[in-house]
């Protein structure tokens, strides 16, 4: 089966960038209690590759949320109910695959602060160069990209193409 879409970011470039970010993040949280909250399913591969390079006492949580249908944002974040966990006394690194309108990170960040997190910083593999609908930006960004629809390395189109090890453009 031919690969869908066009080449964009290779597996080697992704892995190199993830190593750089992991080093930076480790330095930033040195000796602080850290919990990484990854937003599923899109950030599955990014989360696994990054957290394997963080200190062994890092806690991890996965939250399953969604906002996209096809190539369009539905403007609503689904799935946030039910993640009431206790984040008292923990610094939280909120991790997602891609930052677009900013709604997803904005709403989840609000929820984590309510749950007692000492601080909430954000890391995304990709950040689209578009105006944000919500007032949020990423503290760590893998790659800034133009407003294209991308798939692979966890990113989907209607639940397909997540397993690709590289990122491709599907326009
Ligand atoms: P935001 O809430 O608009 O910032 O969108 C973030 C969410 O939309 C991400 O967690 C992705 O699941 C999804 N998303 C946005 N752009 C893309 C894309 O180009 N490909 C795949 N998913 C995307
Ligand atoms: Mg997502």
């Amino acid at each position: 089966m031919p690969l869908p879409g066009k080449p964009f970011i290779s597996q080697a470039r992704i892995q190199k960038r993830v190593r750089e970010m992991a080093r930076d993040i480790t330095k930033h949280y040195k000796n602080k209690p850290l919990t990484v909250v990854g937003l599923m399913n899109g950030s599955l591969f990014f989360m696994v590759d990054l957290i394997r390079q963080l200190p062994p006492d890092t806690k991890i949580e996965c939250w399953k949320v969604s906002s996209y249908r096809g190539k369009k944002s539905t403007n609503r974040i689904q799935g946030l109910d039910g993640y009431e966990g206790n984040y008292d006394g923990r610094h939280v690194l909120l991790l997602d695959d891609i930052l677009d309108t900013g709604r997803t990170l904005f709403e989840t960040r609000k929820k984590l602060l309510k749950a007692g997190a000492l601080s909430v910083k954000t890391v995304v593999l990709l950040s689209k160069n578009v105006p944000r609908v919500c007032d949020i930006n990423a503290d760590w960004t893998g790659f800034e990209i133009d407003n294209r629809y991308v798939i692979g390395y966890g990113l989907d189109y209607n639940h397909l193409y997540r397993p690709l090890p590289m990122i491709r453009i599907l326009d």
Side-chain angles (χ1 to χ4, degrees), residues 39-42 65-66 96-97 104:
L39 303 184
M40 296 296 122
N41 295 323
V65 300
S66 64
D96 204 4
D97 50 359
T104 306

Side-chain angles (χ1 to χ4, degrees), residues 57-124:
D57 57 352
T58 305
K59 290 189 183 176
I60 58 174
E61 296 284 342
C62 297
W63 287 16
K64 191 159 160 59
V65 300
S66 64
S67 65
Y68 261 58
R69 185 145 302 138
K71 290 186 187 174
K72 281 243 153 45
S73 171
T74 59
N75 301 341
R76 291 198 42 230
I77 312 303
Q78 279 161 2
L80 265 183
D81 298 339
Y83 295 111
E84 307 300 343
N86 188 338
Y87 293 84
D88 273 344
R90 312 271 322 160
H91 293 276
V92 174
L93 179 62
L94 177 56
L95 174 149
D96 204 4
D97 50 359
I98 186 164
L99 175 58
D100 183 13
T101 66
R103 276 198 193 89
T104 306
L105 287 184
F106 185 84
E107 294 297 331
T108 37
R109 182 170 181 274
K110 203 160 76 184
K111 182 125 188 161
L112 283 162
L113 285 169
K114 252 196 211 151
L118 286 176
S119 71
V120 181
K121 287 195 179 281
T122 51
V123 58
V124 293

Side-chain angles (χ1 to χ4, degrees), residues 10 14 30 37 42 45-46 82 89 101 103-104 107 110 120 122 129 146 149 151-152:
S10 71
I14 296 171
K30 199 170 191 309
V37 175
F45 298 94
F46 178 41
T101 66
R103 276 198 193 89
T104 306
E107 294 297 331
K110 203 160 76 184
V120 181
T122 51
N129 198 355
D146 290 336
Y149 198 85
I151 53 163

Side-chain angles (χ1 to χ4, degrees), residues 2 5 12 18 31 33 97 100 108 114-115 119 130 133 148 151 156 160 165:
V18 171
N31 301 325
D97 50 359
D100 183 13
T108 37
K114 252 196 211 151
S119 71
V130 293
V133 171
R148 311 294 293 271
I151 53 163
D156 74 309
L160 302 176

Side-chain angles (χ1 to χ4, degrees), residues 8-19:
F8 188 36
I9 307 176
S10 71
Q11 188 175 4
R13 271 184 79 202
I14 296 171
Q15 296 305 327
K16 177 168 180 275
R17 189 69 189 110
V18 171
R19 278 197 300 275

